[in-house]
Amino acid sequence: MTGTGSDTTVREIERRAAAAWPAAFAEERDGWLLRHTPGVGRQRSNSALPPPPGTGTPGIGLVERFYGERGLPVRVQVSPAEEHGELDAALAEAGYRRTGVTAVLTAPTEKVVAATASAPPLPVRLADTPDRWLGVFTELDGHDDSAAVGREVLSRVPSPAAFLSVAVEDRPAGMGLVVAAGEWAGVFCMATAPDRRRTGVAAAVLAAGARWARGRGAERLYLQVERDNEAALGLYTRAGFSPSHGYHYRVRP
């Protein structure tokens, strides 16, 4: 994937994304951001972000000690992948397996607002706290740790944030989360009920989220999507997003 962002912008996005999806425990050690969230299986909640390349990055030993002391798999988020070829090769040589290949996309907020203007006029509910929205998340997220994610991660999301949902016939049909910070806003937790896919629900949620971000002064949007999710990639491309960079995880067996 060809990146479009500068090195500074890419690193800014990664740090903003880490703050928008907060770990229960996070600390900086020699440039590494070490994250751990008990009870949550998501890779982004339990992985280490490396320092920028060329800054005297130490060996992987401190990361292995951090997770080893907690009885957890040692997991590194190789991000941005384009900047960490040396680290990635060293981890591969050490037997770390590659997983979770992800594309990071960005777009001017105004471009997304314009591109989604024709989204179906569904009633998108917007809340600034996750209280009622967590039930929608648990139903649509579809993972064993959804309740734990709600409790340990989503309840910690920093303000301002928009928790978006759509109901059809009194049943959750779609959801999303937008977290603003300065000129950027991140899009997370986009999901649609299986029987409501390809009906414009996701486009309506994205449109409402982009308008909300514009109202909070966020000039640009970013989001993360796994590379094999062709339906989501299509939606975001049509909405005006383009590739910034990529990342994946390396996990020690």
Side-chain angles (χ1 to χ4, degrees), residues 39 58 68 70 85 89 109 122 170-171 173 179 206 216 219 236 244 248:
R70 291 158 179 78
T109 306
L122 297 171
D170 296 325
R171 292 296 306 273
V179 184
L206 185 60
R216 296 304 182 278
E219 299 176 359
Y236 300 139
S244 168
H248 56 268

Side-chain angles (χ1 to χ4, degrees), residues 143-161:
H143 291 83
D144 292 340
D145 65 347
S146 297
V149 170
R151 182 176 63 253
E152 300 293 342
V153 178
L154 297 171
S155 64
R156 306 172 192 268
V157 168
S159 297

Side-chain angles (χ1 to χ4, degrees), residues 174-191:
M175 68 174 182
L177 165 65
V178 181
V179 184
E183 64 179 324
W184 286 93
V187 179
F188 301 88
C189 300
M190 291 286 292

Side-chain angles (χ1 to χ4, degrees), residues 25-47:
F25 301 97
E27 60 179 281
E28 296 263 4
R29 290 190 190 176
D30 293 343
W32 290 88
L33 178 63
L34 306 173
R35 299 170 294 182
H36 169 42
T37 305
V40 171
R42 311 299 164 98
Q43 298 198 98
R44 74 174 79 175
S45 298
N46 294 282
S47 58

Side-chain angles (χ1 to χ4, degrees), residues 208-232:
R211 292 193 300 269
W212 176 88
R214 180 179 62 182
R216 296 304 182 278
E219 299 176 359
R220 295 190 65 82
L221 302 173
Y222 68 87
L223 57 83
Q224 304 152 322
V225 57
E226 291 198 355
R227 292 294 301 272
D228 60 0
N229 191 341
E230 294 182 3

Side-chain angles (χ1 to χ4, degrees), residues 85-155:
E86 184 176 347
L87 171 64
D88 191 48
L91 293 173
E93 179 68 20
Y96 282 66
R97 63 183 176 86
R98 186 171 183 248
T99 184
V101 181
T102 300
V104 181
L105 311 181
T106 63
T109 306
E110 283 292 351
K111 186 175 184 178
V112 178
V113 170
T116 58
S118 59
L122 297 171
V124 179
R125 183 179 185 275
L126 190 155
D128 57 9
T129 63
D131 302 339
R132 291 177 57 188
W133 182 85
L134 288 178
V136 176
F137 174 81
T138 300
E139 181 165 343
L140 295 182
D141 181 58
H143 291 83
D144 292 340
D145 65 347
S146 297
V149 170
R151 182 176 63 253
E152 300 293 342
V153 178
L154 297 171
S155 64

